[in-house]
């Protein structure tokens, strides 16, 4: 969903579990947790705090483990 990145909760090299929040996105005056869809390691964080994003923008890339 389009919105504004409020906070990034992971860094490159971080290990994440499926369902773990990785980004906080504000959309329609509500804050939403964007969660990891797989278990793995964060290889790239494309999102930047206080920037607007569109529906299909890649925010975080995770290498499946």
């Amino acid at each position: 969903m389009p919105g504004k990145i409020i906070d990034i909760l992971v860094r490159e090299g971080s290990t994440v579990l499926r369902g773990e929040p990785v980004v906080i996105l504000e959309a329609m005056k509500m804050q939403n947790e964007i969660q990891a869809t797989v278990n793995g390691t964060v290889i790239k964080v494309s999102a930047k705090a206080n920037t607007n994003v569109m529906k299909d923008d890649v925010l975080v890339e995770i290498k499946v483990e």
Side-chain angles (χ1 to χ4, degrees):
M1 81 180 68
K4 181 178 180 179
I5 301 295
I6 300 300
D7 196 12
I8 300 159
L9 306 174
V10 296
R11 296 177 191 220
E12 293 178 8
S14 299
T15 301
V16 294
L17 299 173
R18 182 175 185 224
E20 182 178 339
V22 293
V23 173
I24 305 294
L25 176 78
E26 182 180 272
M28 298 171 32
K29 298 184 181 182
M30 293 181 62
Q31 290 190 4
N32 303 284
E33 288 185 347
I34 306 303
Q35 301 174 345
T37 56
V38 294
N39 296 337
T41 302
V42 176
I43 58 173
K44 184 174 182 184
V45 177
S46 302
K48 295 188 186 327
N50 298 314
T51 60
N52 293 318
V53 293
M54 299 306 292
K55 178 182 176 185
D56 293 322
D57 287 354
V58 175
L59 305 178
V60 176
E61 292 181 44
I62 300 171
K63 179 181 177 187
V64 177
E65 293 181 350

